[in-house]
Amino acid sequence: MVISGFRLPMAAALLIWMVIWEIAGHTDAGFILPPLSRIVWRVIEIVPTPSFLDALLITGRSFLLGNVIAIGVGVPLGMVMGRSIIADRLLLPWVNLFLSAPLSALVPVIMVLFGLGETTIVLTVVLFSVWIIVLNTRAGVRGISLSLVEMARSFGASRWQAFSRIYLWAALPEILAGIRLGMIRAVKGVVIGQLLVSVVGFGTLFEIYQSHFLMEHFWALLLVLFAFAFTLNEGLARLERSVGYYAASR
Amino acid sequence: MSLSPATAAPLRAIEPAPGATRPIVEVRSVSKTYPGGVEALSGISLDFPEGKLTTLLGPSGCGKTTLLKIIAGLIPHSGGQVLVDGREVTGPGPERAFVFQDFALMPWASVMRNVAFGLELRGVARSQREAVAERHIARVGLKGFEQKFPHELSGGMRQRVGLARALAVDAKVVLMDEPFSAVDEQTRRKFQEELLELVANEGKSFIFVTHSIEEAVYVSDRIALLSRRPSRVSAIIEPKIVRGGDPEKIRRDSAYLDVVEDIWQQLKHYLD
């Protein structure tokens, strides 16, 4: 954007909103929305505390494990659905249903089945992220040009070779996009899971901050999570762009 | 003109004199009906002599690519028999290599890996297959482009990669599905000249599909003219053109022009 000859950097918009937040924090709204500067200080204060680090460790562990499971299940499942009409007919309605369903409502069911522990959180992460990975992988595999598949067959590729050297690579741009979207959903999953279980990780902290009305702490925690999700998204988008050169020429 | 499988048989009798090279590929009353009842091929019988280039020529949609892919083992036939080097075809095999109309290169792999891919699938060690690939990359005139990616190459260069990949597996039969139709006219002419040289020097058998009469007459030792769907062999033509010497001369040769005209007269009535 250029205003009267000055080129404003993209971050300028962010700065403006930060200023507005700061000002709003000094008005009466301050009791629910404290000024940004104080929240930033609070972040610096609470991040090194053992309770925060503990929560971070537990959250990170559930998040990673959940994503590994979601990718491990989602990519092969999407591939099968992309290649087999029968599997596709059987599973697609469910995948679409779960993709659009209000999954938070299902977390209590998992809680009943798996208790108030990390297992429930991990499963919530999987539940949030796996469906979009399945759908994207399926779309990627269905988009593979027939002649690439025929090429592999004509040179004697076995099923496994075709899968690992053609399908996986040809569908990689879509798969990576699916994983990125899945991870963003997984951030929601891990937080919602912990909030509902409320005795694990950040869930405990949120519970304490809210019940004691520690708004600065509450926002500090949110800020950390937002920053995490944003960084994750940017990092994965960069990875996606590195295979983008061939996405258009398959 | 319609020939039943039975009357198609005498066509095989007008083959080169006895004692000449034996057919490397034999197609025996092969038919193909697609699910849904579309009959693409109806009892085709055809022999492909060893060490020669035989072209399948016909109006578009006549099933020439279908026949080629049946020979390649990429699609199953509904009836009849295909023999390659005396053995019945049930699927793709190492004695056949395919060159694709749209090149079918892996966009995520370098020229080197693309050319070596057939050998990679066979489990040939990396250093060994790359040595072979390097030789064939040079053979098709792409020396220095080994580490480039397909999107960095022109259409003509991409097809050279496709050709090098087919040559690298050292198959007896090279199947080419309209290989030059996606490259520009100048490149196409260059390719045709190089193909003649390849047929003369490689000692391989080539089966070539095209819809261009001029291209067919220019490159072929033998042309099988296919009729409209359901396809049969309507004629077999052997352009007796003296090759060798100046490749440009052929295009002005009166025998060449006569055969082109003859085929055009035969194909004309398939239009509209």
Side-chain angles (χ1 to χ4, degrees), chain B residues 63-160:
Chain B
K64 46 195 191 296
T65 294
T66 303
L67 180 56
L68 192 74
K69 286 189 174 170
I70 285 174
I71 296 171
L74 287 173
I75 49 182
H77 44 287
S78 326
Q81 217 181 11
V82 178
L83 300 174
V84 175
D85 209 10
R87 275 198 305 274
E88 187 164 1
V89 166
T90 50
E95 72 287 348
R96 282 156 289 153
F98 207 99
V99 178
F100 292 84
Q101 183 176 6
D102 61 356
F103 323 137
L105 301 181
M106 299 178 290
W108 56 86
S110 64
V111 167
M112 176 63 93
R113 177 146 185 251
N114 266 295
V115 172
F117 191 63
L119 299 170
E120 181 186 328
L121 291 178
R122 286 179 198 178
V124 176
R126 192 189 176 111
S127 59
Q128 211 177 333
R129 66 178 190 248
E130 293 200 337
V132 174
E134 201 177 335
R135 218 170 51 236
H136 285 95
I137 292 168
R139 172 95 179 74
V140 298
L142 286 181
K143 200 172 174 58
F145 290 89
E146 287 85 353
Q147 299 312 322
K148 296 276 185 218
F149 284 80
H151 69 277
E152 300 172 297
L153 306 177
S154 69
M157 289 160 97
R158 286 182 207 177
Q159 192 55 297
R160 285 174 191 275

Side-chain angles (χ1 to χ4, degrees), chain B:
Chain B
M1 186 179 330
S2 76
L3 295 168
S4 69
T7 55
L11 275 175
R12 284 175 25 188
I14 38 167
E15 265 172 49
T21 47
R22 74 185 168 105
I24 180 87
V25 176
E26 295 165 72
V27 170
R28 293 181 183 162
S29 43
V30 161
S31 58
K32 173 69 189 176
T33 310
Y34 279 107
V38 180
E39 199 183 13
L41 305 173
S42 149
I44 282 202
S45 290
L46 202 55
D47 283 352
F48 298 85
E50 187 161 15
K52 304 280 182 198
L53 189 148
T54 307
T55 291
L56 303 173
L57 178 66
S60 61
C62 77
K64 46 195 191 296
T65 294
T66 303
L67 180 56
L68 192 74
K69 286 189 174 170
I70 285 174
I71 296 171
L74 287 173
I75 49 182
H77 44 287
S78 326
Q81 217 181 11
V82 178
L83 300 174
V84 175
D85 209 10
R87 275 198 305 274
E88 187 164 1
V89 166
T90 50
E95 72 287 348
R96 282 156 289 153
F98 207 99
V99 178
F100 292 84
Q101 183 176 6
D102 61 356
F103 323 137
L105 301 181
M106 299 178 290
W108 56 86
S110 64
V111 167
M112 176 63 93
R113 177 146 185 251
N114 266 295
V115 172
F117 191 63
L119 299 170
E120 181 186 328
L121 291 178
R122 286 179 198 178
V124 176
R126 192 189 176 111
S127 59
Q128 211 177 333
R129 66 178 190 248
E130 293 200 337
V132 174
E134 201 177 335
R135 218 170 51 236
H136 285 95
I137 292 168
R139 172 95 179 74
V140 298
L142 286 181
K143 200 172 174 58
F145 290 89
E146 287 85 353
Q147 299 312 322
K148 296 276 185 218
F149 284 80
H151 69 277
E152 300 172 297
L153 306 177
S154 69
M157 289 160 97
R158 286 182 207 177
Q159 192 55 297
R160 285 174 191 275
V161 178
L163 188 61
R165 178 177 59 195
L167 294 175
V169 294
D170 198 25
K172 284 185 175 166
V173 186
V174 179
L175 308 163
M176 307 178 96
D177 182 17
E178 305 200 24
F180 309 148
S181 66
V183 300
D184 60 85
E185 179 62 26
Q186 289 91 317
T187 312
R188 180 155 45 233
R189 287 192 168 216
K190 189 88 175 53
F191 267 130
Q192 290 165 359
E193 289 168 13
E194 288 174 9
L195 183 59
L196 286 183
E197 194 194 304
L198 216 57
V199 176
N201 300 332
E202 286 283 318
K204 296 185 190 304
S205 312
F206 291 78
I207 304 180
F208 189 90
V209 164
T210 183
H211 57 254
S212 158
I213 301 174
E214 284 84 359
E215 180 167 273
V217 178
Y218 186 82
V219 300
S220 310
D221 298 303
R222 203 159 194 256
I223 299 169
L225 222 55
L226 301 186
S227 68
R228 259 225 175 123
R229 203 141 62 187
S231 234
R232 296 180 182 90
V233 180
S234 68
I236 287 184
I237 294 147
E238 297 195 6
K240 296 275 184 275
I241 295 167
V242 187
R243 297 219 171 79
D246 183 9
E248 281 303 313
K249 231 174 174 172
I250 299 172
R251 296 189 207 275
R252 296 191 299 269
D253 187 76
S254 66
Y256 164 82
L257 295 169
D258 286 348
V259 179
V260 169
E261 180 58 26
D262 181 38
I263 294 176
W264 167 235
Q265 291 306 330
Q266 294 191 50
L267 285 180
K268 217 153 107 179
H269 69 275
Y270 291 128
L271 298 174
D272 62 53

Side-chain angles (χ1 to χ4, degrees), chain A residues 7-190:
Chain A
R7 173 166 291 277
L8 291 175
M10 293 296 276
L14 202 60
L15 274 175
I16 291 169
W17 287 110
M18 283 161 83
V19 170
I20 291 173
W21 185 344
E22 185 66 30
I23 293 167
H26 288 285
T27 64
D28 286 348
F31 83 100
I32 189 95
L33 184 74
L36 186 61
S37 54
R38 270 196 259 157
I39 294 169
V40 173
W41 279 118
R42 200 61 79 180
V43 169
I44 297 167
E45 182 196 313
I46 63 171
V47 165
T49 60
S51 62
F52 180 90
L53 289 178
D54 262 4
L56 184 69
L57 182 73
I58 290 173
T59 310
R61 206 159 56 196
S62 324
F63 180 80
L64 273 183
L65 191 59
N67 273 303
V68 167
I69 294 173
I71 294 168
V73 171
V75 171
L77 193 61
M79 292 227 164
V80 170
M81 285 173 67
R83 295 306 302 168
S84 151
I85 297 171
I86 299 171
D88 199 43
R89 291 263 164 83
L90 269 174
L91 298 170
L92 188 61
W94 290 102
V95 173
N96 277 326
L97 183 76
F98 277 108
L99 189 72
S100 47
L103 295 171
S104 321
L106 282 175
V107 176
V109 179
I110 303 177
M111 250 193 286
V112 170
L113 290 172
F114 295 93
L116 299 174
E118 261 187 273
T119 318
T120 299
I121 310 294
V122 170
L123 285 176
T124 309
V125 172
V126 175
L127 187 68
F128 269 75
S129 70
V130 74
W131 314 110
I132 192 73
I133 298 177
V134 171
L135 271 193
N136 261 46
T137 307
R138 171 182 176 272
V141 168
R142 283 167 74 99
I144 294 176
S145 86
L146 179 66
S147 68
L148 262 186
V149 176
E150 285 190 329
M151 186 279 287
R153 280 190 58 211
S154 77
F155 285 102
S158 64
R159 249 165 205 279
W160 168 246
Q161 283 176 324
F163 170 81
S164 62
R165 290 169 211 221
I166 300 291
Y167 294 128
L168 197 62
W169 287 90
L172 195 59
E174 281 86 356
I175 293 175
L176 283 181
I179 289 175
R180 178 171 59 86
L181 296 173
M183 281 203 176
I184 294 165
R185 285 165 163 255
V187 176
K188 287 187 215 169
V190 80

